[in-house]
mmCIF file of all heavy atoms in Angstrom:
data_model
loop_
_atom_site.group_PDB
_atom_site.id
_atom_site.type_symbol
_atom_site.label_atom_id
_atom_site.label_comp_id
_atom_site.label_asym_id
_atom_site.label_seq_id
_atom_site.Cartn_x
_atom_site.Cartn_y
_atom_site.Cartn_z
ATOM 1 N N THR C 140 -11.689 -2.605 22.660
ATOM 2 C CA THR C 140 -12.456 -1.403 22.972
ATOM 3 C C THR C 140 -13.645 -1.279 22.027
ATOM 4 O O THR C 140 -13.531 -1.529 20.833
ATOM 5 C CB THR C 140 -11.552 -0.152 22.844
ATOM 6 O OG1 THR C 140 -10.459 -0.297 23.758
ATOM 7 C CG2 THR C 140 -12.303 1.118 23.161
ATOM 8 N N ARG C 141 -14.775 -0.891 22.601
ATOM 9 C CA ARG C 141 -15.997 -0.632 21.829
ATOM 10 C C ARG C 141 -16.405 0.815 22.089
ATOM 11 O O ARG C 141 -16.683 1.189 23.225
ATOM 12 C CB ARG C 141 -17.120 -1.569 22.255
ATOM 13 C CG ARG C 141 -18.439 -1.318 21.525
ATOM 14 C CD ARG C 141 -19.557 -2.229 22.035
ATOM 15 N NE ARG C 141 -19.177 -3.625 21.863
ATOM 16 C CZ ARG C 141 -19.481 -4.596 22.736
ATOM 17 N NH1 ARG C 141 -20.146 -4.329 23.838
ATOM 18 N NH2 ARG C 141 -19.100 -5.841 22.502
ATOM 19 N N ILE C 142 -16.426 1.611 21.039
ATOM 20 C CA ILE C 142 -16.842 3.012 21.151
ATOM 21 C C ILE C 142 -18.222 3.133 20.529
ATOM 22 O O ILE C 142 -18.415 2.775 19.361
ATOM 23 C CB ILE C 142 -15.856 3.951 20.420
ATOM 24 C CG1 ILE C 142 -14.459 3.802 21.019
ATOM 25 C CG2 ILE C 142 -16.335 5.403 20.502
ATOM 26 C CD1 ILE C 142 -13.381 4.515 20.230
ATOM 27 N N VAL C 143 -19.177 3.629 21.306
ATOM 28 C CA VAL C 143 -20.538 3.817 20.808
ATOM 29 C C VAL C 143 -20.808 5.319 20.729
ATOM 30 O O VAL C 143 -20.791 6.008 21.747
ATOM 31 C CB VAL C 143 -21.587 3.132 21.709
ATOM 32 C CG1 VAL C 143 -22.988 3.337 21.139
ATOM 33 C CG2 VAL C 143 -21.284 1.648 21.864
ATOM 34 N N LEU C 144 -21.023 5.786 19.501
ATOM 35 C CA LEU C 144 -21.351 7.191 19.280
ATOM 36 C C LEU C 144 -22.865 7.318 19.184
ATOM 37 O O LEU C 144 -23.480 6.726 18.293
ATOM 38 C CB LEU C 144 -20.720 7.691 17.976
ATOM 39 C CG LEU C 144 -19.206 7.527 17.824
ATOM 40 C CD1 LEU C 144 -18.771 7.971 16.431
ATOM 41 C CD2 LEU C 144 -18.467 8.294 18.891
ATOM 42 N N HIS C 145 -23.458 8.069 20.106
ATOM 43 C CA HIS C 145 -24.891 8.369 20.053
ATOM 44 C C HIS C 145 -25.006 9.643 19.213
ATOM 45 O O HIS C 145 -24.759 10.747 19.707
ATOM 46 C CB HIS C 145 -25.458 8.561 21.455
ATOM 47 C CG HIS C 145 -25.393 7.313 22.282
ATOM 48 N ND1 HIS C 145 -26.450 6.438 22.362
ATOM 49 C CD2 HIS C 145 -24.387 6.779 23.014
ATOM 50 C CE1 HIS C 145 -26.100 5.414 23.137
ATOM 51 N NE2 HIS C 145 -24.861 5.599 23.540
ATOM 52 N N LEU C 146 -25.331 9.450 17.934
ATOM 53 C CA LEU C 146 -25.260 10.544 16.970
ATOM 54 C C LEU C 146 -26.292 11.641 17.225
ATOM 55 O O LEU C 146 -27.404 11.375 17.686
ATOM 56 C CB LEU C 146 -25.435 10.001 15.554
ATOM 57 C CG LEU C 146 -24.370 9.012 15.083
ATOM 58 C CD1 LEU C 146 -24.658 8.563 13.659
ATOM 59 C CD2 LEU C 146 -22.971 9.606 15.175
ATOM 60 N N LYS C 147 -25.879 12.861 16.883
ATOM 61 C CA LYS C 147 -26.804 13.992 16.919
ATOM 62 C C LYS C 147 -27.881 13.734 15.874
ATOM 63 O O LYS C 147 -27.648 13.030 14.886
ATOM 64 C CB LYS C 147 -26.058 15.289 16.598
ATOM 65 C CG LYS C 147 -25.009 15.646 17.630
ATOM 66 C CD LYS C 147 -24.239 16.888 17.202
ATOM 67 C CE LYS C 147 -23.165 17.206 18.226
ATOM 68 N NZ LYS C 147 -22.375 18.391 17.851
ATOM 69 N N GLU C 148 -29.052 14.332 16.078
ATOM 70 C CA GLU C 148 -30.188 14.092 15.175
ATOM 71 C C GLU C 148 -29.858 14.356 13.718
ATOM 72 O O GLU C 148 -30.284 13.627 12.832
ATOM 73 C CB GLU C 148 -31.384 14.954 15.587
ATOM 74 C CG GLU C 148 -32.177 14.371 16.725
ATOM 75 C CD GLU C 148 -33.424 15.192 17.024
ATOM 76 O OE1 GLU C 148 -34.079 15.664 16.066
ATOM 77 O OE2 GLU C 148 -33.724 15.340 18.215
ATOM 78 N N ASP C 149 -29.088 15.393 13.440
ATOM 79 C CA ASP C 149 -28.800 15.767 12.051
ATOM 80 C C ASP C 149 -27.568 15.069 11.481
ATOM 81 O O ASP C 149 -27.082 15.438 10.417
ATOM 82 C CB ASP C 149 -28.658 17.285 11.937
ATOM 83 C CG ASP C 149 -27.539 17.848 12.807
ATOM 84 O OD1 ASP C 149 -27.119 17.166 13.770
ATOM 85 O OD2 ASP C 149 -27.088 18.972 12.536
ATOM 86 N N MET C 150 -27.077 14.039 12.152
ATOM 87 C CA MET C 150 -25.873 13.337 11.699
ATOM 88 C C MET C 150 -26.144 11.898 11.256
ATOM 89 O O MET C 150 -25.229 11.095 11.166
ATOM 90 C CB MET C 150 -24.809 13.339 12.805
ATOM 91 C CG MET C 150 -24.295 14.693 13.152
ATOM 92 S SD MET C 150 -23.377 15.373 11.762
ATOM 93 C CE MET C 150 -23.304 17.099 12.206
ATOM 94 N N SER C 151 -27.385 11.586 10.936
ATOM 95 C CA SER C 151 -27.746 10.219 10.559
ATOM 96 C C SER C 151 -27.076 9.768 9.258
ATOM 97 O O SER C 151 -27.017 8.575 8.970
ATOM 98 C CB SER C 151 -29.264 10.064 10.464
ATOM 99 O OG SER C 151 -29.767 10.946 9.483
ATOM 100 N N GLU C 152 -26.528 10.707 8.484
ATOM 101 C CA GLU C 152 -25.813 10.333 7.243
ATOM 102 C C GLU C 152 -24.650 9.393 7.543
ATOM 103 O O GLU C 152 -24.251 8.598 6.700
ATOM 104 C CB GLU C 152 -25.301 11.572 6.522
ATOM 105 C CG GLU C 152 -24.146 12.265 7.243
ATOM 106 C CD GLU C 152 -23.610 13.476 6.519
ATOM 107 O OE1 GLU C 152 -22.747 13.292 5.635
ATOM 108 O OE2 GLU C 152 -24.064 14.591 6.835
ATOM 109 N N TYR C 153 -24.106 9.454 8.769
ATOM 110 C CA TYR C 153 -22.976 8.602 9.142
ATOM 111 C C TYR C 153 -23.403 7.167 9.447
ATOM 112 O O TYR C 153 -22.577 6.341 9.797
ATOM 113 C CB TYR C 153 -22.199 9.213 10.305
ATOM 114 C CG TYR C 153 -21.501 10.484 9.886
ATOM 115 C CD1 TYR C 153 -22.032 11.722 10.213
ATOM 116 C CD2 TYR C 153 -20.352 10.430 9.118
ATOM 117 C CE1 TYR C 153 -21.406 12.890 9.794
ATOM 118 C CE2 TYR C 153 -19.723 11.594 8.691
ATOM 119 C CZ TYR C 153 -20.262 12.821 9.035
ATOM 120 O OH TYR C 153 -19.648 13.965 8.612
ATOM 121 N N LEU C 154 -24.688 6.889 9.292
ATOM 122 C CA LEU C 154 -25.197 5.524 9.439
ATOM 123 C C LEU C 154 -25.464 4.885 8.076
ATOM 124 O O LEU C 154 -25.809 3.718 7.997
ATOM 125 C CB LEU C 154 -26.483 5.522 10.275
ATOM 126 C CG LEU C 154 -26.332 6.026 11.708
ATOM 127 C CD1 LEU C 154 -27.698 6.096 12.385
ATOM 128 C CD2 LEU C 154 -25.372 5.155 12.488
ATOM 129 N N GLU C 155 -25.284 5.666 7.029
ATOM 130 C CA GLU C 155 -25.513 5.166 5.665
ATOM 131 C C GLU C 155 -24.286 4.379 5.195
ATOM 132 O O GLU C 155 -23.154 4.842 5.310
ATOM 133 C CB GLU C 155 -25.798 6.320 4.706
ATOM 134 C CG GLU C 155 -27.051 7.112 5.046
ATOM 135 C CD GLU C 155 -28.320 6.279 5.008
ATOM 136 O OE1 GLU C 155 -28.400 5.343 4.181
ATOM 137 O OE2 GLU C 155 -29.228 6.558 5.798
ATOM 138 N N GLU C 156 -24.536 3.205 4.663
ATOM 139 C CA GLU C 156 -23.458 2.313 4.229
ATOM 140 C C GLU C 156 -22.486 2.993 3.274
ATOM 141 O O GLU C 156 -21.263 2.915 3.437
ATOM 142 C CB GLU C 156 -24.056 1.057 3.579
ATOM 143 C CG GLU C 156 -23.031 0.052 3.142
ATOM 144 C CD GLU C 156 -23.648 -1.213 2.536
ATOM 145 O OE1 GLU C 156 -24.882 -1.350 2.539
ATOM 146 O OE2 GLU C 156 -22.876 -2.049 2.055
#
Side-chain angles (χ1 to χ4, degrees):
T140 301
R141 178 183 301 143
I142 301 171
V143 181
L144 304 175
H145 295 266
L146 298 181
K147 296 176 182 179
E148 279 185 40
D149 60 340
M150 295 293 164
S151 60
E152 70 179 275
Y153 292 101
L154 298 175
E155 298 299 327
E156 182 178 355

